[in-house]
């Protein structure tokens, strides 16, 4: 996932679009231009000096080989790239303000998650027969925070654009926080003497691997289940980044159809996520993955900051959509939502009651364990197909002039194909001949007739 941040910086530099991510971006961009202008002047005068001196000292080949800056033949382009990167790295240094924003956000979620009412759901049965219990009050926590921030913004206590103005700083503050938290998790995990499935340390002895994948399955802090907490923080963070980007576009007077479509689709998706938060308790991440840097970084940094790329991009790019394009975009979203939610709900209902009707009929069940009706009779991971269509619908409002806003659907396609392969292997081992029978009946993995 570290490569994610490197890739991110790389993407920020694609086509010189250093200015689409943060809105301190504008000042950063201006700063870059000033530096560039200054550098050009500096270069010119230095070039003059060199020219003069080389004409005075004809034959001094060594100096010429050293280039106009005497830096081993580095070109002007290389130097400007360094300066752009330098300015970019500078804007990544978190200020106390961004640390405070992050601290208040994490603190609020910890308190709200512990005290607000919510349905208590039992998690999957662990190896030792124990079950964790999750209080699903994410929706209430989120709506309350939206309300509080809305009132705060009205009273001018908080700025609605604070996130959009400090995008890169917040990104790096969150990254540093993720590293710090996972180092603590590593130490706590190594010291744990617990024998239960949740907290039993799983140590390979390889420091990097143990830190990356984590040591404990469900570590807790002050009775808060950290894995559930971080995924909630990430999904909610995505909404708050989007809302701040929306506030910025209203403030700048650039709000348009594309931004409204993007914001509406994402908000519906995130609201839906928290409405069905209990479904999260039976997902692969919660059940099977230990809590290490991979998951913490994925939840806290990757989800909010990369899933919102389209919003940042729309802040700086104007897109005109035709009516047909808007209708097609809404269609992709609605179809995606129907398949995604329908498939996940069918599986969830089936696990609770294997006789529950699917699409009004008794379900077709293989070996008493696997559902082969409804979406699960069309493809073995129809839910991934729905998610991919949704991801595409979040990018389509940006048009097709740049690949940058398509980062999320492309990433998700790669992730879900990889995940489907891993899940397939796991299920083949767990269900054996029942799985083979399911594969025979439902030959398609994700997209019927194609994959
Ligand atoms: P699934 O919800 O598809 O869960 C897979 C598990 O379901 C299998 O391991 C098996 O577990 C069970 N299962 C598989 N087939 C059947 C069947 N026919 N009948 C009954 N049970 C079956 O996978 P994920 O947890 O990976 O994904 C959950 C959702 O989260 C998906 O919609 C996905 O798109 C989304 N997601 C989104 C991501 C993003 O970044 N936006 C990232 C990852 C996931 P068991 O052993 O319990 O039977």
């Amino acid at each position: 996932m570290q490569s994610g941040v490197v890739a991110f910086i790389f993407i920020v530099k694609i086509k010189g679009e250093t200015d689409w991510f943060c809105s301190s971006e504008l000042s950063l961009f201006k700063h870059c231009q000033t530096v560039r202008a200054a550098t050009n002047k500096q270069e010119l005068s230095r070039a003059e000096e060199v020219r003069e001196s080389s004409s005075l000292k004809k034959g001094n080949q060594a100096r010429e080989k050293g280039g106009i800056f005497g830096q081993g033949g580095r070109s002007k382009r290389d130097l400007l790239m360094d300066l752009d990167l330098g300015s970019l790295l500078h804007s990544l240094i978190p200020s106390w303000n961004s640390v405070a924003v992050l601290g208040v956000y994490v603190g609020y979620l910890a308190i709200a998650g512990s005290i607000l009412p919510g349905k208590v759901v039992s998690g999957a049965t662990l190896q030792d027969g124990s079950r964790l219990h999750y209080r699903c009050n994410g929706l209430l926590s989120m709506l309350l925070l939206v309300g509080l921030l809305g009132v705060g913004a009205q009273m001018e206590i908080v700025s609605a654009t604070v996130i959009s103005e400090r995008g890169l700083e917040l990104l790096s503050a969150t990254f540093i926080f993720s590293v710090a938290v996972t180092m603590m998790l590593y130490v706590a995990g190594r010291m744990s003497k617990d024998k239960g499935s949740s907290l039993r340390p799983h140590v390979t002895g390889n420091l990097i691997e143990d830190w990356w994948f984590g040591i404990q399955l469900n570590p807790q802090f002050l009775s808060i289940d950290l894995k559930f907490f971080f995924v909630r923080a990430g999904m909610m963070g995505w909404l708050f980044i989007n809302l701040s980007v929306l506030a910025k576009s209203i403030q700048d007077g650039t709000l348009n159809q594309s931004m409204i479509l993007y914001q509406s689709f994402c908000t519906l998706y995130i609201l839906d996520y928290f409405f069905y938060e209990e479904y999260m308790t039976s997902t692969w991440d919660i059940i099977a993955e230990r809590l290490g840097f991979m998951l913490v970084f994925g939840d806290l940094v990757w989800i909010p900051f990369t899933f919102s790329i389209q919003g940042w991009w729309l802040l700086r790019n104007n897109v005109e959509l035709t009516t047909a394009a808007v209708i097609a975009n809404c269609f992709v979203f609605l179809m995606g939502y129907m398949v995604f939610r329908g498939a996940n709900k069918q599986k969830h209902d089936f696990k609770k009651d294997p006789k529950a009707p699917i699409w009004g009929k008794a379900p077709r069940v293989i070996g008493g364990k696997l559902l082969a009706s409804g979406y699960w009779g069309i493809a073995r991971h129809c839910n991934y197909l729905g998610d991919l269509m949704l991801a595409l619908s979040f990018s389509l409002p940006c048009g097709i002039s740049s690949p940058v806003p398509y980062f999320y659907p492309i990433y998700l396609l790669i992730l879900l194909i990889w995940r489907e392969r891993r899940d397939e292997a796991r299920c083949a081992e767990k269900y054996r001949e029942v799985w083979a029978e399911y594969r025979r009946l439902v030959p398609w993995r994700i997209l019927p007739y194609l994959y």
Side-chain angles (χ1 to χ4, degrees), residues 263-281:
Q263 291 283 348
S264 310
F265 295 156
C266 290
T267 303
L268 286 171
Y269 182 78
I270 297 166
L271 279 174
D272 170 86
Y273 173 89
F274 283 109
F275 190 80
Y276 293 104
E277 194 178 24
E278 67 175 280
Y279 289 10
M280 225 10 240
T281 59

Side-chain angles (χ1 to χ4, degrees), residues 20-215:
W20 60 265
F21 183 63
C22 62
S23 178
S24 52
E25 78 258 59
L26 195 58
S27 51
L28 166 65
F29 190 60
K30 281 181 184 155
H31 174 64
C32 290
Q33 285 180 322
T34 318
V35 172
R36 207 177 266 146
T39 314
N40 282 341
K41 273 189 200 161
Q42 240 181 336
E43 269 182 274
L44 279 173
S45 59
R46 305 240 2 212
E48 280 302 319
E49 274 172 33
V50 172
R51 216 174 291 133
E52 274 168 30
S53 93
S54 61
S55 63
L56 282 171
K57 300 174 188 172
K58 274 188 186 159
N60 189 349
Q61 300 283 325
R63 180 164 177 151
E64 286 205 339
K65 270 187 195 152
I68 56 173
F69 292 100
Q71 290 184 14
R74 306 195 66 215
S75 69
K76 172 182 164 184
R77 196 178 135 78
D78 287 345
L79 202 85
L80 287 176
M81 291 278 280
D82 284 355
L83 282 167
D84 272 0
L85 191 63
S87 310
L88 187 70
L89 290 176
H90 182 75
S91 68
L92 275 167
I93 298 167
S95 65
W96 285 113
N97 236 325
S98 51
V99 173
V101 169
L102 181 64
V104 169
Y105 177 61
V106 171
Y108 167 82
L109 284 185
I111 295 167
S114 306
I115 63 172
L116 291 178
K119 183 174 172 187
V120 177
V121 175
S122 304
T125 309
L126 301 175
Q127 253 180 12
D128 62 359
S130 65
R131 290 180 88 173
L132 293 179
H133 300 281
Y134 301 93
R135 192 186 296 188
C136 297
N137 55 8
L139 186 63
L140 186 58
S141 306
M142 185 174 74
L143 294 178
L144 182 63
L145 186 54
V146 170
L148 288 172
L149 290 175
V151 173
Q154 280 294 319
M155 295 170 71
E156 298 186 4
I157 300 169
V158 290
S159 156
T161 54
V162 67
I163 302 176
S164 58
E165 279 160 4
R166 295 180 183 276
L168 286 176
E169 271 182 42
L170 276 164
L171 171 89
S172 57
T174 315
F175 177 77
I176 294 165
F177 178 71
S178 306
V179 174
V181 164
T182 47
M183 276 162 47
M184 284 187 247
L185 284 173
Y186 174 83
V187 173
R190 296 266 348 206
M191 284 164 51
S192 171
K193 301 267 181 285
D194 209 292
K195 298 272 181 273
S197 296
S198 279
L199 299 175
R200 184 176 53 227
H202 179 286
V203 183
T204 66
N206 180 330
L207 190 143
I208 300 292
E209 194 181 326
D210 290 339
W211 168 72
W212 182 271
F213 290 109
I215 290 185

